[in-house]
């Protein structure tokens, strides 16, 4: 009986299917490290097309060097001091506020500060200048920003409780759940009373 010779050709389609299934398996089961970054709310947008004269006393200079050392008005401080110093500066109320709709500026009747004539005139004029170094760590920079934002939030919370019986944060939550015009007016009033004005000069080389 004659021997049958086996052919040299074979189908590779099954091998391709197996390889594809293995690839899918490894893609599904493998975990990958992904840099998620840090959740950070950006400073509120401020108008850039208005030309104003800024007094030196209306600017709080915060500088952080490459060693993560903090200077506020050329004095070394800790990160935990930033919130208190920012609140004292913003809420000083030592002069007249920025004019609104052609009307002259008025004193801050809701400010609780010392009304120091050498510090900021009004929350609407108080500018916080934060200058970092190119060697400053990102974590340090974000920590300072968080302290500044906490200062604004606490001032808004205090005014909101006095005027509306609810904190600024509670009003924001209420507005997110039920956005009404009345809530929007209250939130806008609090933001206008303590506008978040932060200047960030170019980092020090």
């Amino acid at each position: 009986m004659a021997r049958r010779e086996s052919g040299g050709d074979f189908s590779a389609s099954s091998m391709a299917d197996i390889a594809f299934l293995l690839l899918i398996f490894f893609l599904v089961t493998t975990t990958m490290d992904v840099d998620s970054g840090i959740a950070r709310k950006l400073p509120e947008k401020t108008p850039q097309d208005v030309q104003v004269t800024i007094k030196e006393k209306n600017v709080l200079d915060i500088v952080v060097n490459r060693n993560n050392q903090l200077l506020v008005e050329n004095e070394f401080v800790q990160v935990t001091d930033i919130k208190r110093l920012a609140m004292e500066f913003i809420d000083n109320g030592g002069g007249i506020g920025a004019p609104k709709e052609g009307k002259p500026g008025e004193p801050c009747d809701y400010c609780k500060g010392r009304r120091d004539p050498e510090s900021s005139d009004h929350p609407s004029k108080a500018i916080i200048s934060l200058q970092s170094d190119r060697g400053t760590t990102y974590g340090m920079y974000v920590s300072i920003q968080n302290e500044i934002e906490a200062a604004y939030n606490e001032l808004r919370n205090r005014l909101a409780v006095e005027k509306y019986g609810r904190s600024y944060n509670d009003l924001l939550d209420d507005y997110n759940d039920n956005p009404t015009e009345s809530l929007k007016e209250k939130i806008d009033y609090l933001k206008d009373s303590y506008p978040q004005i932060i200047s960030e000069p170019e980092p020090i080389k």
Side-chain angles (χ1 to χ4, degrees):
M1 206 175 159
R3 261 178 98 182
R4 291 184 62 186
E5 295 183 0
S6 60
D9 296 333
F10 65 92
S11 174
S13 60
S14 59
M15 294 289 288
D17 291 340
I18 294 172
F20 181 72
L21 289 173
L22 287 172
L23 177 63
I24 295 297
F25 173 77
F26 286 117
L27 286 174
V28 171
T29 58
T30 302
T31 58
M32 298 181 183
D33 292 331
V34 179
D35 293 333
S36 58
I38 300 176
R40 178 74 183 96
K41 182 181 177 182
L42 295 175
E44 296 167 6
K45 185 176 180 181
T46 54
Q48 300 294 325
D49 56 347
V50 180
Q51 298 296 324
V52 294
T53 301
I54 300 174
K55 298 178 182 178
E56 186 176 346
K57 69 175 185 174
N58 284 326
V59 180
L60 181 68
D61 286 313
I62 301 176
V63 179
V64 54
N65 63 23
R66 63 177 60 251
N67 298 319
N68 288 338
Q69 294 175 311
L70 267 171
L71 292 93
V72 176
E73 298 296 325
N74 297 318
E75 292 186 8
F76 284 102
V77 300
Q78 301 298 317
V79 177
T80 51
D81 296 323
I82 295 295
K83 178 182 172 182
R84 173 182 59 81
L85 293 172
M87 287 181 63
E88 290 175 356
F89 170 74
I90 298 164
D91 201 40
N92 181 62
I96 303 298
K100 293 183 178 180
E101 299 177 359
K103 299 178 182 178
E106 298 178 354
C108 182
D109 57 359
Y110 52 85
C111 289
K112 308 295 185 183
R114 297 173 298 174
R115 303 195 184 278
D116 181 357
E118 300 301 318
S119 187
S120 72
D121 289 326
H122 194 277
S124 64
K125 291 185 175 182
I127 301 171
I128 295 181
S129 173
L130 173 57
Q131 186 169 38
S132 60
D133 189 284
R134 293 194 184 276
T136 303
T137 63
Y138 185 63
M140 182 63 167
Y141 174 80
V142 172
S143 296
I144 298 168
Q145 284 276 9
N146 287 339
E147 291 296 314
I148 295 172
E149 185 175 339
Y152 282 105
N153 280 338
E154 185 160 329
L155 290 170
R156 291 171 179 176
N157 280 331
R158 187 191 69 194
L159 181 59
V161 170
E162 291 177 357
K163 192 170 180 66
Y164 305 119
R166 289 179 63 78
S167 72
Y168 172 70
N169 291 333
D170 287 340
L171 292 174
L172 287 177
D173 290 338
D174 293 344
Y175 184 77
N176 289 332
D177 294 336
N178 182 27
T180 64
E181 189 62 31
S182 174
L183 283 172
K184 184 177 184 305
E185 288 178 0
K186 292 177 181 179
I187 292 170
D188 287 345
Y189 170 79
L190 296 169
K191 286 183 176 181
D192 290 341
S193 298
Y194 289 108
Q196 186 171 317
I197 311 174
I198 302 175
S199 171
E200 297 187 29
E202 284 293 319
I204 302 169
K205 297 182 179 179

